[in-house]
Each structure stands twice: as C-alpha cells, then as structure tokens.
Amino acid sequence: MTTGCQPDRSPDADASQSRLLDSTETGWSPSDYNQGPGNESMTTNNQNQGTDNAKVKSVAEDAGFSPLYVTFGGRHAYIYANANDSWSKKEKKQKTEKLQQQYKREFPKYQVRVHVLND
C-alpha cells in the first residue's frame, strides 16, 4: 500500500478526513502537513523560510547593508549582501562581524553566515 493513498492523520487535517478517522473530532483547520519547507504558506501564518528570509534581510538593511539574497540549507542560512560603498575596508569588517553576532542573538535556530560581495 502506498502512503499517498492514506488519509491525512495530522493534527491540522481537514475535518472531513478527521471524521473518517475519529468521529469524536470536533474542530479542524486547514492543513499544511507534509508540504515541505517552502517559502510561503497558503493556509496558515506559521513561521516558515519565507518569513525567515524577510527577517534576515531586514536585519541586514537595519545594519546598513544592501541584502541581495538569502539561501537556506538545513539549519544554515547564508546571506549575500553589499556593504555601503562609503565604508572603509576596516569598517566593513567590523560591521560584518557585528551583524554576524546580531544574527546569533536573533536567529538561534540558524547558523547564519554573512557574505559581503563588494568587499
């Protein structure tokens, strides 16, 4: 038997499926169960990589960097950004280290690495 043919038994499963499994189930909500990490959620406001992506970029912008893109791999997050052109090389290094520390505080679930492309 394949698993794709079995009913969804997740806590957020659709009510019609829940009634088939357990008639005592009274409440239901739309399910994102087993949809993968994706960047957007169609039915819930749960934290996901899409919202993490926006927050990672926002922190970089607040520090004066121009974020280009963020990639995720497991518990690793990599942000690629440009530093302000008016900063000296020493200043870029200091601000990059400060940004790295800020990510450690604000995103403990990820090991964030900052890559400055216009170094």
Side-chain angles (χ1 to χ4, degrees):
M1 182 182 317
T2 62
T3 58
C5 297
Q6 295 187 14
D8 184 355
R9 291 187 172 100
S10 72
D12 294 333
D14 184 277
S16 61
Q17 290 180 356
S18 295
R19 274 186 237 121
L20 293 174
L21 299 173
D22 182 4
S23 59
T24 62
E25 183 94 12
T26 57
W28 69 278
S29 64
S31 175
D32 275 348
Y33 181 70
N34 204 19
Q35 296 291 319
N39 281 342
E40 297 298 328
S41 172
M42 297 299 286
T43 58
T44 65
N45 292 325
N46 292 339
Q47 186 74 16
N48 58 43
Q49 283 183 351
T51 56
D52 287 346
N53 185 333
K55 287 180 182 179
V56 168
K57 286 182 178 180
S58 175
V59 169
E61 286 173 352
D62 292 344
F65 290 85
S66 298
L68 301 172
Y69 58 94
V70 179
T71 60
F72 294 92
R75 63 178 267 119
H76 298 278
Y78 305 91
I79 179 164
Y80 297 86
N82 285 327
N84 190 321
D85 290 330
S86 66
W87 295 343
S88 68
K89 194 167 188 107
K90 182 179 178 182
E91 205 174 5
K92 284 180 189 179
K93 184 176 179 175
Q94 289 173 341
K95 289 185 184 271
T96 301
E97 289 171 1
K98 185 177 177 182
L99 181 60
Q100 188 78 40
Q101 293 301 316
Q102 187 171 352
Y103 280 129
K104 283 184 182 181
R105 285 189 307 274
E106 293 193 33
F107 295 93
K109 70 179 179 178
Y110 293 114
Q111 292 178 1
V112 180
R113 298 289 177 247
V114 179
H115 298 279
V116 179
L117 300 180
N118 66 341
D119 201 13

